[in-house]
Amino acid sequence: LVVRVGEVEVECVDGEEVEVRAEGGSTLEGRIGPCPEAAAFCEHAMCPGMCSGRGVCGPAGACHCYIGYAGAACQLDACNSQLDCPDLESCHRVSGMCGDPPPPSPPS
């Protein structure tokens, strides 16, 4: 995991502290830490668009949208009933989206 302290990027190893030196006019100096586990930190930093502030980032970088939102990054307004859709389009229960249903899957 690489972290930025002031204008300097330093490697932050799991569970260790980082030595920070004053450079380039910075007054920051000393040790900070311990560093978080990179796997745990990055797991939640990988969601698309940080879920647009409309959901939470879960394991494997997948957004879990709050009620009323949909899409990979929770960027879309979702519907709860036909009344939420313009021109009374259908509201699809599975996708939470207004509009025509997706075409059926071809038979195998």
Side-chain angles (χ1 to χ4, degrees):
L1 183 65
V2 175
V3 297
R4 179 180 293 269
V5 181
E7 295 296 316
V8 180
E9 290 185 350
V10 293
E11 184 176 358
C12 198
V13 179
D14 295 0
E16 293 185 13
E17 293 183 340
V18 174
E19 182 72 36
V20 180
R21 295 189 183 95
E23 294 181 16
S26 172
T27 57
L28 299 173
E29 190 168 281
R31 296 181 74 74
I32 59 172
C35 296
E37 291 183 30
F41 180 81
C42 292
E43 175 180 302
H44 296 286
M46 303 289 288
C47 281
M50 294 306 294
C51 303
S52 306
R54 297 171 159 191
V56 293
C57 188
C63 290
H64 298 277
C65 303
Y66 298 139
I67 294 173
Y69 301 105
C74 304
Q75 77 280 15
L76 304 170
D77 292 325
C79 58
N80 292 314
S81 74
Q82 185 175 352
L83 299 176
D84 293 335
C85 296
D87 301 322
L88 296 178
E89 294 175 335
S90 22
C91 175
H92 303 290
R93 291 182 187 179
V94 174
S95 69
M97 303 305 299
C98 297
D100 294 328
S105 300
S108 353

